[in-house]
Amino acid sequence: MALCALTGATGQAQADTLAQMRARLPQQEVIYFVLPDRFANGDTTNDKGGLQGDRLVTGFDPSSKAFYHGGDLQGLIAHLDYIQSLGASALWVGPIMKNKPVQGPKGHESAGYHGYWITDFLHVDPHFGSDEDFRKLVDAAHARGMKVYMDIIINHTADVIQYREAGDGPAPYRSLGDYPFSRKGGVKGAPINADFVGDHDASPANWAKLTDPAFAYTPYIPTGEEKVKNPAWLNDPIYYHNRGDSTFEGESANYGDFSGLDDLATENPRVLSGFIDIYGSWIDRFGIDGYRIDTAKHVNPEFWQGFVPAMLARAKAKGIPNFHIFGEVATGDFDPALLANWTRRSGLPAVLDFAFMRAANDAAGGKTGTGELARMVSDDALYQGGEAAAMRLPTFLGNHDAGRFAFFLHDAKPGMSAEEWLKRDLLGHALLLTLRGVPTIYYGDEQGFAGEGGDQSSRQDMFASQVAEYNHQPTVGPSAAYRFTTTHPLYHEIATLARLRRATPALWGGSTRLRAYGDKPGLFAVSRFDPKTGAEVLLAFNTSDQAVTASLAVEPNSTAFTTLAGACPATVTAPGSASISLPAFGYAICAASPAPSPKDKHP
Ligand SMILES: [Ca+2]
Ligand SMILES: [Ca+2]
Ligand SMILES: [Ca+2]
């Protein structure tokens, strides 16, 4: 009886935790992005993915940054405490679906440790564990009130399809104009695909007339790989673009293969329905909380117009009303218009905020002033849904492709002192964790990882590494090889600010008003407002290496301040003006009191 009562109480507590978690909006989260292979090895028996042979068969070689290192889902489960203590409330797990273990030209092979070369879209890669291990991860995270976002790919599969005409060499892009669907191998070829009116007519009747995929290249599947993809329809070349390699410019950005990866004909309604089935099934089976969509800008917008509502409906039916979907529209530029375009034409509810990455790097790195951060705030009007929608954009300082934030800082100012490096890094994280958007921490940044570049050089092991480059990399903060310590100054600051953010509605859900910015390193300040009470929180950052003191405009009815971080003035200097002083690279978070009368302002 006692045991039953206990189980009942525990069950109720679990149900409450789940209900509270499901009720949270996407912008209430702090996301932790992790590549499972590089995070923690919880089960050494799966390191070779159940395969026998050398690294070109198994993909396993912990001494090479291009191969699997052994990290897995059990390792993630074992370190949820560490992630939650950092203040993260949602996990973005790099792709876990089964990959082609090794691919690439002879002598230049690498492994699918990153997860972006999927063959089986329905099951977990054996290097990471089993479907059951993923269920355990999701359940363990949910039991703590943490969400799990999957990283999914639709633009391409692994590189399985090859082209007769290319042999072992490159396959230059063959355009729609030079190689129309209506002729075999170019305009002078034999007529094929009679009556197919082009890929802008999404009717199944039209696509039924596209029967020959050899309009540009002649695609084929090498012997032994005919059934490697799952579900089975993915093994038919008719569902791919088959036009050769993308140059990432012009039409090839949509139709071209990403370095040989088989680019799906996402205009085809069978491909749309197929992927709705695939990714609907992960929602149904595991009750995950969101999708990060890889290479979203290499897929036609019409695909997302069909896919996104289907996923949101599927999640809602599963009892997940705040399912978060955010797409990758990668750019190194400060280009909110490009990002916003994909929320408008494609209906993506959110995109990864590459504009924030650029603006925060340029500001915290001292490369420019703070004008881009100011532009970012005003350009939020461009997104579908405007400023409210911009609150859902995951913001970040660096990533697994471009490189880590600490690397960018060092690259911008190679000669700076270790102390300045750390201060700029802390300042960047303060911007990340207090401005609008959903702060996304890239695993290892909290331990001061920097790395020597992007891609493989930014995918360090959190566990003891056998990669010489990773072991020799400089790190921000204490020089010891920190791994999973909670005393690193970056870990400590992120944890402090993440907690403050989650407890302060103005920081996760408040509108933003610009207070100060400039074209030289110096003061950047905004006010954010509690969405319910309207109470002001003043945020001020000093991106320069000199102390600054300035008078900032505040709301006329903000009279006194409580210090949430840094040093705040106790009271205003005059109604509507507060004097703020910040040390070099310092910041302050000041909650105004008393709050403006909420009943007057927000009836
Ligand atoms: Ca393992
Ligand atoms: Ca291919
Ligand atoms: Ca594509």
Side-chain angles (χ1 to χ4, degrees):
M1 282 296 284
L3 188 63
C4 283
L6 187 65
T7 309
T10 309
Q12 187 56 46
Q14 289 286 322
D16 290 349
T17 301
L18 195 64
Q20 284 165 14
M21 184 195 78
R22 296 281 200 224
R24 291 200 312 257
L25 302 171
Q27 55 265 44
Q28 290 181 266
E29 312 302 339
V30 172
I31 302 172
Y32 190 75
F33 169 31
V34 60
L35 294 177
D37 181 60
R38 302 294 160 93
F39 192 66
N41 191 348
D43 177 2
T44 54
T45 66
N46 61 20
D47 290 356
K48 294 181 177 175
L51 299 164
Q52 306 276 328
D54 66 13
R55 72 176 197 171
L56 294 182
V57 177
T58 67
F60 181 67
D61 179 359
S63 69
S64 166
K65 61 182 181 177
F67 286 78
Y68 283 98
H69 289 181
D72 50 36
L73 296 173
Q74 287 291 350
L76 254 180
I77 293 168
H79 288 85
L80 287 176
D81 246 345
Y82 167 85
I83 298 168
Q84 192 166 34
S85 298
L86 183 65
S89 58
L91 263 181
W92 157 12
V93 184
I96 56 158
M97 297 70 117
K98 188 176 180 188
N99 270 227
K100 185 165 176 172
V102 178
Q103 65 178 49
K106 210 170 164 52
H108 299 277
E109 299 90 347
S110 64
Y113 69 91
H114 42 69
Y116 294 101
W117 299 343
I118 303 175
T119 51
D120 184 344
F121 282 77
L122 292 172
H123 297 292
V124 169
D125 193 294
H127 291 87
F128 298 144
S130 62
D131 293 3
E132 192 50 34
D133 289 332
F134 185 59
R135 181 180 311 287
K136 285 180 190 159
L137 170 65
V138 175
D139 290 350
H142 284 176
R144 296 163 168 271
M146 293 177 75
K147 296 182 180 177
V148 176
Y149 299 155
M150 292 182 76
D151 198 330
I152 65 169
I153 305 125
I154 287 161
N155 178 61
H156 56 258
T157 71
D159 178 12
V160 174
I161 296 173
Q162 308 300 321
Y163 303 128
R164 296 280 177 211
E165 294 81 359
D168 290 335
Y173 184 71
R174 294 188 166 181
S175 72
L176 290 157
D178 290 338
Y179 296 87
F181 293 111
S182 61
R183 291 289 183 274
K184 199 172 193 79
V187 290
K188 291 182 180 156
I192 54 172
N193 301 319
D195 300 329
F196 178 65
V197 299
D199 59 8
H200 293 292
D201 178 345
S203 69
N206 179 43
W207 284 87
K209 293 168 190 155
L210 186 80
T211 53
D212 188 340
F215 35 82
Y217 286 100
T218 308
Y220 73 98
I221 299 178
T223 306
E225 293 189 284
E226 295 88 346
K227 292 182 177 174
V228 75
K229 293 180 190 174
N230 188 34
W233 64 268
L234 286 163
N235 292 303
D236 187 341
I238 200 70
Y239 296 117
Y240 296 81
H241 282 137
N242 302 310
R243 289 183 175 275
D245 282 329
S246 178
T247 63
F248 306 105
E249 298 292 337
E251 67 173 52
S252 85
N254 178 14
Y255 291 94
D257 296 335
F258 204 114
S259 307
L261 296 165
D262 305 349
D263 202 68
L264 280 144
T266 42
E267 301 80 8
N268 189 324
R270 176 68 184 89
V271 173
L272 173 60
S273 66
F275 275 103
I276 289 174
D277 286 349
I278 288 168
Y279 289 121
S281 128
W282 287 94
I283 296 173
D284 291 347
R285 286 183 291 155
F286 299 96
I288 39 105
D289 308 284
Y291 283 145
R292 178 266 186 187
I293 303 175
D294 185 63
T295 43
K297 77 168 174 181
H298 302 297
V299 172
N300 56 309
E302 297 79 7
F303 179 92
W304 303 125
Q305 289 167 12
F307 180 79
V308 167
M311 290 305 103
L312 294 175
R314 201 76 165 245
K316 203 169 178 191
K318 178 80 176 170
I320 309 165
N322 293 304
F323 196 81
H324 197 17
I325 297 179
F326 50 102
E328 179 204 25
V329 180
T331 174
D333 298 333
F334 179 79
D335 195 350
L338 169 77
L339 303 176
N341 181 311
W342 285 86
T343 67
R344 289 188 170 272
R345 290 178 64 223
S346 306
L348 288 170
V351 290
L352 282 158
D353 195 352
F354 282 86
F356 176 87
M357 180 175 91
R358 177 80 277 132
N361 269 277
D362 289 346
K367 206 168 163 187
T368 65
T370 54
E372 285 172 340
L373 285 170
R375 266 283 307 280
M376 181 191 84
V377 171
S378 59
D379 282 355
D380 282 350
L382 298 175
Y383 292 94
Q384 184 74 45
E387 193 185 2
M391 290 188 202
R392 295 193 296 261
L393 308 181
T395 46
F396 56 100
L397 296 163
N399 66 19
H400 60 319
D401 292 324
R404 290 182 181 274
F405 181 51
F407 164 73
F408 295 137
L409 291 175
H410 198 267
D411 202 42
K413 253 193 136 191
M416 69 182 156
S417 68
E419 187 192 3
E420 182 177 335
W421 196 13
L422 175 60
K423 282 184 175 170
R424 288 185 184 276
D425 204 324
L426 292 167
L427 178 66
H429 279 91
L431 291 166
L432 177 72
L433 285 151
T434 59
L435 296 179
R436 105 286 183 269
V438 192
T440 303
I441 312 289
Y442 182 43
Y443 85 96
D445 280 6
E446 75 280 9
Q447 298 292 342
F449 286 12
E452 297 169 4
D455 201 86
Q456 292 174 5
S457 290
S458 60
R459 300 171 181 178
Q460 294 89 337
D461 298 312
M462 282 285 280
F463 44 89
S465 185
Q466 296 177 36
V467 177
E469 179 188 314
Y470 295 164
N471 290 331
H472 295 149
Q473 65 168 335
T475 53
V476 182
S479 59
Y482 276 81
R483 305 186 194 281
F484 296 115
T485 69
T486 54
T487 52
H488 192 286
L490 276 161
Y491 186 101
H492 182 261
E493 184 191 70
I494 293 168
T496 305
L497 288 175
R499 276 195 192 83
L500 180 63
R501 177 190 182 88
R502 296 189 63 209
T504 311
L507 296 184
W508 59 254
S511 60
T512 302
R513 189 165 299 165
L514 285 166
R515 297 301 192 189
Y517 60 95
D519 60 0
K520 301 242 169 5
L523 188 64
F524 176 69
V526 299
S527 290
R528 302 195 64 193
F529 300 92
D530 187 295
K532 280 216 176 76
T533 68
E536 179 175 15
V537 176
L538 181 66
L539 308 171
F541 309 86
N542 179 9
T543 68
S544 83
D545 58 5
Q546 304 292 319
V548 296
T549 296
S551 292
L552 290 174
V554 294
E555 296 303 289
N557 50 2
S558 290
T559 53
F561 295 98
T562 304
T563 298
L564 300 181
C568 297
T571 61
V572 293
T573 325
S577 179
S579 177
I580 193 120
S581 292
L582 295 171
F585 311 119
Y587 65 91
I589 307 173
C590 311
S593 59
S597 174
K599 291 193 182 68
D600 297 345
K601 278 200 93 173
H602 296 271

